[in-house]
Amino acid sequence: MKRLTLFALAITLIATVFAAKTPYQAVLQHSRIRGRARGPNVCAMQKIPGTDKKYFTNCKQWYHRKICGKPTEVTYECCPGYEKVIGEKGCPAALPLVNIYKTLGVIGATTTKMYSERANLQEEIEGPGSFTFFAPSNEAWAALPTEILDALVSNVNIELLNALHYHMINKRLTSDDLKHGALFPSMYQDFDVHIQHYSNGVVTVNCARLVKTDQHATNGIVHVVDRVITAITNNVNSLIDTDDDLDTLRTAVAAAGLTSLLENEGSYTIFAPTNEAFEKIPPETLTRILGDPVALKDLLNYHILKNLHCSESIVAGTPLETLQGTVLEVGCDGEEMTINGKAIVTQRDKIGTNGVIHYVNELLIPDSAKTLLELVEESVVTTASRLFKDAGLTDHLIGSEAVTLLAPLNDAFKDKSLAMTPDMKKLLRNHILKEKFSSKSLYHGQELETLGGLKLRVFVFRNSLCIENACIAAHDKNGRYANMFIVDQILAPPMGTVMDVLKADDRFSTLVGAIQRAGLSELLNKKGTYTFFAPTNAAFNAMPRADLNKLMSNVSCLANLLRYHIGEEFLVSGAVTSHTRVTPLTGDKLELGTLNSTVYVNRVPVVETDLMATNGVVHAVDVIIKPLHDLFQKVLRSHSSRTMSRVQ
């Protein structure tokens, strides 16, 4: 019965959270649930130590105990609209319902209350009406530059009243009414205030975060905000036009034909590169991009998010889609706003009528504006990058040629000779495909031609996409003219049939003789998709001499053993996962897996993988493979018994 009661309580709490009207109400409800053990109307908050920032938090933030990458401490306080009573647990009493002027004092917005007196606003917010007041916190006023604050409050001039009126709306708006993207005319010349209500529960007005929400008064409602807001009159293009720090950006926007976009209605976020950001780019790279309208447009669109994101809305790293079509990882590290993990934002939240601008001191260059050489040099394929240049292939990496580069990971070159021989140059040319491909368009059995004139096959496995033995190990890098596939292996083009591969390798001389004795040469020379786990001479030599002689003298048994080592389907090492199975030509399935980068078949380690053939692939083993349940031994004993019976 107790379990049922607890289960019902959990369901009730979950239903309470999901019944919340808005994201803000959802995190508020979550905070109430976390604070309920402290008494009625207690909310749990997460505070970033060393700052004044506190948040009602969702479940994910609560369990991570981090905001903007910084550990948080949990504090408990009265939920909005409630207060403590001496001697009683929690916050049982509702705040007294008084006018807005008195409410400012009750909720601690005392500086706004004081400035309301100086600006002769007190009578208005004490009198009749139904107002919404976005009241700056005391810290918000203190954070204003001294010259701005002095200009507002000196001599009780009209500017202070205008500023306060811009924080007011002539109707009552609760947090439920503050919808994402909403505009409301302020009481200062009807200039709009811009509301954003984010899915993580953060609500902003002109990018100022609401830190105390829904404080009800007899003549309206008060929301405390974390900064003093100013009237928005210009679109983002006008803001760029009038800022000397953005001269180069202004020229680039005009050259890319994006001026009208930034003048029209919308709700964008622009990471505006300063003149300094453009100056950090190598001159030849900048000249190339500025002279290429397609690359330039992609570059600028990569700095523009499809939606408006104020800095206060970012409490953790979040991938956000750009107009260019890919994403930027927008996050924060303490007080710093980050882009793709780098704290390059120098100025935040410059609001326009159709978006917000954050200044960045580094240029963000998308892959789609880069040459193939730039893609290679900025990726985790530094060894391949050096080798392609040493092989004299740079012209193919910097021009407008439509090609696809197969770039092996650095580990692929481990224990390999990196000498730039003619064979190495030829091999590297075969890592460049003659067309610009997307991995999503490749299909099983497709043939791709290389600059070296080879035809490479595409193999599609359940969890891998491979070109010959080289499996794609990362997402495509799609450049301006050419693409790059990062692959896990150095390409091994097929060098004849399976039988040709075995004959060309001295390690398989005993096996070649056994294949010929068993009559399997024709099979391994004809068209097919075989996977041969090929025993080396060492595997045969490990057998007792008497057993080896007996095996070699019994053609039927020898053929069965060899056919058990040959899979019916093609399988390269990069496609092997745990519990991969291959059906052999004879006997039960072969069980494959990997451990510490070694492939195992029926628990036998493969000593060399991916010897590619036109009709399959060879993997070398130093041990004769047996069925896991030792069926082969049973068959061998049974065959021996029948032979002895016939002799007798």
Side-chain angles (χ1 to χ4, degrees), residues 62-74:
W62 180 266
Y63 285 111
H64 283 182
R65 286 292 199 276
K66 283 187 177 181
I67 291 175
C68 285
K70 302 301 181 184
T72 59
E73 57 188 29
V74 177

Side-chain angles (χ1 to χ4, degrees), residues 71 173 219 275 347 356 398 435 490 587 607:
L173 296 171
N219 57 345
N275 299 336
Q347 184 179 336
V356 61
I398 63 175
E435 297 179 44
I490 300 171
V607 295

Side-chain angles (χ1 to χ4, degrees), residues 278-291:
F278 282 99
E279 289 166 3
K280 290 180 179 179
I281 301 300
E284 61 276 11
T285 301
L286 185 57
T287 300
R288 175 182 62 79
I289 293 175
L290 291 177

Side-chain angles (χ1 to χ4, degrees), residues 328-350:
L328 290 174
E329 182 78 14
V330 182
C332 50
D333 182 9
E335 296 290 326
E336 300 287 341
M337 190 176 183
T338 61
I339 311 296
N340 292 342
K342 300 175 72 176
I344 60 175
V345 178
T346 58
Q347 184 179 336
R348 299 180 287 185
D349 299 331
K350 193 167 185 177

